[in-house]
């Protein structure tokens, strides 16, 4: 059986067309679900993940499409988006913990649920979702993340401290450092495996 073709430029164009026709997440989720139904085609087009990173595929003041690679064991502290999101997994797995604000203590949160996303999954999150993410497996995870209804790159957003669960402004410099630290751990683990094999 021949694998369907995934073309990044066509996928972006399809997402933009869907968004122009329906600015909610519904039409975009359909586009992502179709793409994730053939994860090997997405993997072939985007390339085998090599390191943790967030690659911009498209960005405007109302729609952002990212190719996000999570390193093994990588964790991202609770954060919000303040716009809807659609996540599609084309390789590996990501586990999401969902959080909610504690009534009467609006800068604090408590766990409210969880969802594991596996290869072929395509899910939508509402604009009020607060979640943390972990890649629980021993290999890189690849996912398409789409954010709509605002400028995801420039938006003022929050994250919550991993220890205290107190809210503060999202620190994009620290987020980038988390990716680099995850890459350093991943590369060290690969070197350790290669030295054992030698």
């Amino acid at each position: 059986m021949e694998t369907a073709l995934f073309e990044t430029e066509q996928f972006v164009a399809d997402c933009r067309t869907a968004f122009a026709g329906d600015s909610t997440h519904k039409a975009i989720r359909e586009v992502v679900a179709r793409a994730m139904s053939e994860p090997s085609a997405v993997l072939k087009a985007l390339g085998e993940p090599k390191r943790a990173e967030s690659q911009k595929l498209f960005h405007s003041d109302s729609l952002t499409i990212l190719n996000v690679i999570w390193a093994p064991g990588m964790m991202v502290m609770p954060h919000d988006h303040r716009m809807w999101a659609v996540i599609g997994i084309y390789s590996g797995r990501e586990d999401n913990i969902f959080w909610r604000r504690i009534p009467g203590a609006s800068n604090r949160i408590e766990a409210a649920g969880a969802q594991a996303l596996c290869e072929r999954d395509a899910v939508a999150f509402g604009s009020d979702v607060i979640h943390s993410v972990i890649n629980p497996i021993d290999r890189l995870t690849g996912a398409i993340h789409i954010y709509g209804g605002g400028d995801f790159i420039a938006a003022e957003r929050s994250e919550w401290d991993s220890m205290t669960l107190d809210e503060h402004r999202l620190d994009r410099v620290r987020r980038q450092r988390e990716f680099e630290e995850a890459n350093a751990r991943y590369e060290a683990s690969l070197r350790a495996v290669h030295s054992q094999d030698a």
Side-chain angles (χ1 to χ4, degrees), residues 78-92:
H79 61 278
D80 64 12
H81 302 138
R82 301 189 189 175
M83 61 195 73
W84 58 253
V86 174
I87 312 295
I89 308 294
Y90 64 86
S91 176

Side-chain angles (χ1 to χ4, degrees), residues 81-110:
H81 302 138
R82 301 189 189 175
M83 61 195 73
W84 58 253
V86 174
I87 312 295
I89 308 294
Y90 64 86
S91 176
R93 183 176 132 204
E94 73 171 53
D95 287 356
N96 290 264
I97 298 174
F98 299 107
W99 304 82
R100 64 176 165 236
R101 292 181 181 275
I102 299 173
S106 63
N107 70 328
R108 301 276 317 279
I109 54 174
E110 61 186 3

Side-chain angles (χ1 to χ4, degrees), residues 94-134:
E94 73 171 53
D95 287 356
N96 290 264
I97 298 174
F98 299 107
W99 304 82
R100 64 176 165 236
R101 292 181 181 275
I102 299 173
S106 63
N107 70 328
R108 301 276 317 279
I109 54 174
E110 61 186 3
Q115 185 175 14
L117 303 181
C118 301
E119 196 174 283
R120 298 179 186 269
D121 285 343
V123 299
F125 296 159
S127 59
D128 58 348
V129 162
I130 300 168
H131 73 139
S132 52
V133 182
I134 182 170

Side-chain angles (χ1 to χ4, degrees), residues 40-186:
S40 60
V42 179
L43 190 61
K44 185 176 179 182
L46 295 176
E48 187 72 37
K50 303 277 189 246
R51 61 191 320 271
E53 61 185 323
S54 179
Q55 304 168 334
K56 206 183 306 174
L57 302 180
F58 176 79
H59 171 246
S60 74
D61 60 5
S62 58
L63 186 69
T64 301
I65 305 173
L66 304 174
N67 178 28
V68 178
I69 312 298
W70 303 121
M74 187 173 177
M75 290 182 280
V76 178
M77 69 176 64
H79 61 278
D80 64 12
H81 302 138
R82 301 189 189 175
M83 61 195 73
W84 58 253
V86 174
I87 312 295
I89 308 294
Y90 64 86
S91 176
R93 183 176 132 204
E94 73 171 53
D95 287 356
N96 290 264
I97 298 174
F98 299 107
W99 304 82
R100 64 176 165 236
R101 292 181 181 275
I102 299 173
S106 63
N107 70 328
R108 301 276 317 279
I109 54 174
E110 61 186 3
Q115 185 175 14
L117 303 181
C118 301
E119 196 174 283
R120 298 179 186 269
D121 285 343
V123 299
F125 296 159
S127 59
D128 58 348
V129 162
I130 300 168
H131 73 139
S132 52
V133 182
I134 182 170
N135 174 8
I137 62 175
D138 63 359
R139 64 184 176 90
L140 294 163
T141 288
I144 302 280
H145 288 215
I146 302 179
Y147 304 93
D151 185 342
F152 181 73
I153 305 297
E156 191 73 32
R157 295 166 47 220
S158 291
E159 61 187 358
W160 282 259
D161 184 89
S162 295
M163 292 290 288
T164 65
L165 296 178
D166 284 326
E167 182 178 10
H168 56 269
R169 185 178 177 183
L170 180 76
D171 184 340
R172 288 182 166 86
V173 172
R174 183 173 60 210
R175 176 64 54 83
Q176 188 56 44
R177 195 167 58 240
E178 288 171 355
F179 275 87
E180 294 311 318
E181 289 168 355
N183 280 321
R185 288 190 300 271
Y186 178 56

